[in-house]
Amino acid sequence: MTSAVFQPSQRINVIAGLGLAALVVLSLIVGVSPLSLDKVLSDPEAMHLLVVSRLPRTLAAVLCGAGLAIAGLIMQTLSRNRFVEPATAGTAQSAELGILLVTLLFPAAALWVKTLVAGGAALIGTSIFLVTAHRLPPQQPFLVPLFGIVYGGVIGAVATFAAWQADLLQFLSVWTNGEFSGVLRGRYELLWIAAVMVAIAWLVADRLTIMALGREASIGLGIDYARMMQIGLVIVSVITALVVVVVGMIPFVGLAVPNIVSRLMGDNVRGTLGWVAAGGAGLVLACDIAGRLIRYPYEIPVGTVMGVVGGAVFLWLLFRRGGHG
Amino acid sequence: MIRINNVSFKHRATPILHDVSLDIAKGGVVALIGPNGAGKSTLLSLVARLQALQTGTISVDGLPVDTTPGRDLAKVLAILRQDTTVASRLRVRELVGFGRFPHGRDRLTDEDHAIVDAAMAQFDLTDLSDRFIETLSGGQRQRALVAMAFAQGTDYLLLDEPLNNLDMYYSRALMRSLRSVADAGGKTVVIVLHDINQASAHADRIVAMKDGRIVADGTPADILTPDRLEAVFGFRMRVETIAGKPFALHQL
């Protein structure tokens, strides 16, 4: 018996790269005021639209998508469970609670201060989730995501209650439902830190693969398990906090993309990380473009589009697993 | 040389090991035997610094296991735990390749690849090298894990019940492989075994544990006697000598 192995050849690399490039170009063109790329150089207004709005929006979608997919991959590695991601296991909700509290207490704080507080809150919330997840019986793989959903729900409820008391519910929805329509030059650049986090993940890719083999295998191979856990937690928390603060949370990217890549290519992070990042970027870009087109000229937030697309993918993954036994 | 000095260990309030001291010289195959709950696995995991020492000291080639950097120890000592599960979708070649991680870190050299190939050949995995671990049988998976520990290329190899899941053919093959790496490669293999006859057939030395203490220590001929075995396992069994080696007929 030979197993069906999907080896990414040079050709598939090129096709995937072209696909992502096509999505980027489409994202630059599509919008309320149409933009044709051939006029950009001659028409200063078109150039302005491109540089101030479309390009930042496109880059934001790419950075958020790649970052969230990697955050999901790392979270699945650290919890040794395929069904968790930042949006469903308390990370995003903790970041939302953090930024809500800092907005309440220090409304004049700079955006980077708020991001820092959101990141710290995400770190604490995710640590508590992971400590608990490691105590759940490994024979019951669905307990971990179920616990995550309940745990995230409780933190989200606390945030909603606090926001309601302070009359800040509208703010909260900005952070909980991702949307790129407000992204302009000067308001998304923090997201480049997510790219730095993805680069760090690339540097420790082999260690992440070994971490997925468990604590004992990691220590046996000379990895500082506690230290790697902290690095992974920081990457997940920083990426999630950045996305929550800058555009609002986008669900399911971190769940769907790493799972599909794992199905097709396995779990050797060194080989799959680029695909996970590119897949996340492509998925978020595609959902954002769809959100711009479905009710043209009105927009549907990318978080809503992703909720529908990602939900369908998640169900497919669950049923596939059921079929495997 | 592995030196274990006055090691005691408690899991919460339950004592697991009582003041265990043991020296294991370099080279050869040492089998740890004893009934369930004797503390064999705990002792092995303490040597491999998978659990933190509570009292006593352990050193491997002079390196104290509790203070030596993990990476340095990983070049001296490899461990395969009992019931290791691999949930990741990795190919056999990738998994065995991670055994080389302590040496090259993130890049495998040609020499690393040669060692990985040799480890796969040694454990009859060459034909399976591109298969995902999850598609293998329990015995094949166990061999892949042993090959990974072997590829680590350490002087000391600790194996906790590696014969689980292996049929007679591969149990014998694994024990003979371990024998040959000890004889030809000068390696030290410490192996927890349930089958005392495998220990008798292939080990140089048998250490018997019971209730967290070492109760017997010697050559197979010393340990496999009806009196000694009754003291360790709690019932009397016949011992017959075949081809110069003692075998216990514990099934009767």
Side-chain angles (χ1 to χ4, degrees):
Chain A
M1 191 189 98
T2 56
S3 63
V5 173
F6 179 88
Q7 297 279 15
S9 65
Q10 205 64 33
R11 206 175 49 167
I12 292 171
N13 277 325
V14 171
I15 292 172
L18 286 178
L20 192 58
L23 283 172
V24 168
V25 171
L26 206 57
S27 169
L28 293 176
I29 298 172
V30 171
V32 178
S33 41
L35 182 88
S36 60
L37 287 177
D38 53 340
K39 284 205 196 117
V40 164
L41 289 178
S42 55
D43 181 357
E45 211 163 298
M47 187 67 175
H48 185 75
L49 178 66
L50 181 71
V51 172
V52 173
S53 168
R54 292 286 165 72
L55 188 63
R57 179 177 191 155
T58 303
L59 287 173
V62 167
L63 290 169
C64 285
L68 284 173
I70 296 300
L73 173 73
I74 294 177
M75 209 148 161
Q76 287 148 25
T77 299
L78 299 186
S79 64
R80 298 186 76 195
N81 189 296
R82 292 195 190 284
F83 299 103
V84 297
E85 66 136 340
T88 60
T91 309
Q93 291 82 0
S94 303
E96 286 151 19
L97 184 60
I99 187 172
L100 179 71
L101 292 180
V102 71
T103 306
L104 272 178
L105 300 174
F106 307 99
L111 190 63
W112 68 267
V113 176
K114 290 180 177 170
T115 310
L116 214 57
V117 174
L123 199 60
I124 296 168
T126 315
S127 305
I128 294 171
F129 166 74
L130 280 180
V131 167
T132 315
H134 281 240
R135 284 164 189 263
L136 295 172
Q139 308 88 320
Q140 307 269 350
F142 290 119
L143 271 184
V144 174
L146 280 178
F147 164 72
I149 289 166
V150 174
Y151 173 73
V154 169
I155 298 173
V158 172
T160 307
F161 179 73
W164 184 69
Q165 288 284 326
D167 223 356
L168 283 175
L169 272 181
Q170 273 192 318
F171 270 95
L172 193 64
S173 72
V174 168
W175 299 316
T176 51
N177 197 3
E179 224 217 313
F180 290 110
S181 64
V183 172
L184 294 171
R185 186 171 64 185
R187 288 195 46 199
Y188 83 101
E189 282 76 1
L190 272 178
L191 284 175
W192 283 106
I193 299 173
V196 175
M197 293 295 136
V198 172
I200 294 175
W202 165 255
L203 286 178
V204 296
D206 285 336
R207 264 159 271 198
L208 287 171
T209 310
I210 294 171
M211 291 279 285
L213 299 177
R215 178 181 168 274
E216 293 181 340
S218 306
I219 295 176
L221 290 173
I223 286 177
D224 188 337
Y225 186 77
R227 175 91 177 280
M228 272 308 299
M229 200 70 155
Q230 290 159 0
I231 293 174
L233 273 170
V234 167
I235 295 176
V236 169
S237 303
V238 168
I239 290 175
T240 308
L242 286 167
V243 173
V244 164
V245 170
V246 177
V247 298
M249 194 56 194
I250 306 167
F252 288 116
V253 190
L255 192 66
V257 177
N259 270 289
I260 293 169
V261 173
S262 163
R263 271 280 133 218
L264 295 175
M265 307 174 63
D267 287 328
N268 191 351
V269 179
R270 178 72 65 199
T272 63
L273 190 125
W275 286 87
V276 171
L283 182 61
V284 170
L285 260 182
C287 285
D288 185 43
I289 294 168
R292 282 183 247 172
L293 290 175
I294 291 171
R295 293 185 59 217
Y296 188 85
Y298 303 103
E299 289 203 9
I300 300 172
V302 66
T304 309
V305 179
M306 190 65 78
V308 175
V309 174
V313 173
F314 189 42
L315 282 177
W316 173 71
L317 286 171
L318 283 181
F319 284 120
R320 258 198 83 113
R321 186 184 164 88
H324 264 254
Chain B
M1 165 120 133
I2 299 176
R3 302 199 87 126
I4 301 168
N5 278 321
N6 305 107
V7 167
S8 298
F9 190 83
K10 279 186 180 141
H11 180 68
R12 304 222 168 96
T14 316
I16 310 282
L17 295 175
H18 301 275
D19 198 25
V20 172
S21 294
L22 180 68
D23 284 353
I24 297 173
K26 200 162 192 167
V29 177
V30 178
L32 278 177
I33 64 162
N36 294 331
K40 310 177 295 285
S41 293
T42 302
L43 188 63
L44 219 57
S45 70
L46 287 171
V47 173
R49 45 67 175 106
L50 301 182
Q51 301 190 69
L53 272 177
Q54 293 171 348
T55 50
T57 58
I58 299 177
S59 68
V60 180
D61 271 355
L63 303 168
V65 296
D66 47 347
T67 54
T68 306
R71 189 184 167 185
D72 296 342
L73 268 180
K75 292 178 191 169
V76 180
L77 171 139
I79 181 161
L80 175 62
R81 288 277 280 163
Q82 191 184 351
D83 303 327
T84 301
T85 53
V86 177
S88 303
R89 280 168 54 78
L90 294 175
R91 294 184 184 84
V92 171
R93 176 184 300 282
E94 292 172 327
L95 184 80
V96 177
F98 279 114
R100 297 305 298 163
F101 180 80
H103 304 274
R105 291 308 244 195
D106 300 311
R107 284 280 169 266
L108 293 186
T109 62
D110 289 346
E111 189 198 346
D112 289 324
H113 284 296
I115 292 170
V116 169
D117 285 341
M120 288 195 298
Q122 176 107 45
F123 295 100
D124 216 354
L125 293 162
T126 307
D127 292 342
L128 304 172
S129 63
D130 285 323
R131 289 264 298 271
F132 279 115
I133 297 292
E134 63 182 3
T135 68
L136 303 182
S137 73
Q140 292 168 333
R141 209 172 300 181
Q142 181 72 7
R143 274 150 52 206
L145 288 165
V146 174
M148 177 186 176
F150 183 74
Q152 212 170 321
T154 55
D155 283 345
Y156 296 88
L157 194 55
L158 311 184
L159 303 167
D160 194 351
E161 293 187 28
L163 304 187
N164 281 1
N165 294 321
L166 294 186
D167 59 20
M168 283 190 287
Y169 178 85
Y170 280 112
S171 292
R172 174 171 174 273
L174 175 59
M175 292 309 295
R176 287 166 71 103
S177 294
L178 295 174
R179 187 69 255 170
S180 80
V181 301
D183 291 339
K187 312 231 171 199
T188 313
V189 179
V190 182
I191 180 170
V192 173
L193 286 174
H194 264 302
D195 184 344
I196 49 174
N197 292 331
Q198 291 281 12
S200 175
H202 300 285
D204 302 302
R205 177 180 171 193
I206 297 178
V207 176
M209 294 182 68
K210 188 181 184 184
D211 298 331
R213 292 185 174 84
I214 290 171
V215 291
D217 182 355
T219 62
D222 294 335
I223 304 300
L224 269 77
T225 65
D227 290 340
R228 279 274 168 79
L229 292 177
E230 185 176 6
V232 176
F233 292 100
F235 68 100
R236 211 160 174 82
M237 57 192 98
R238 263 177 73 185
V239 176
E240 297 290 340
T241 301
I242 299 165
K245 287 182 172 161
F247 289 96
L249 304 178
H250 53 85
Q251 295 89 345
L252 296 178

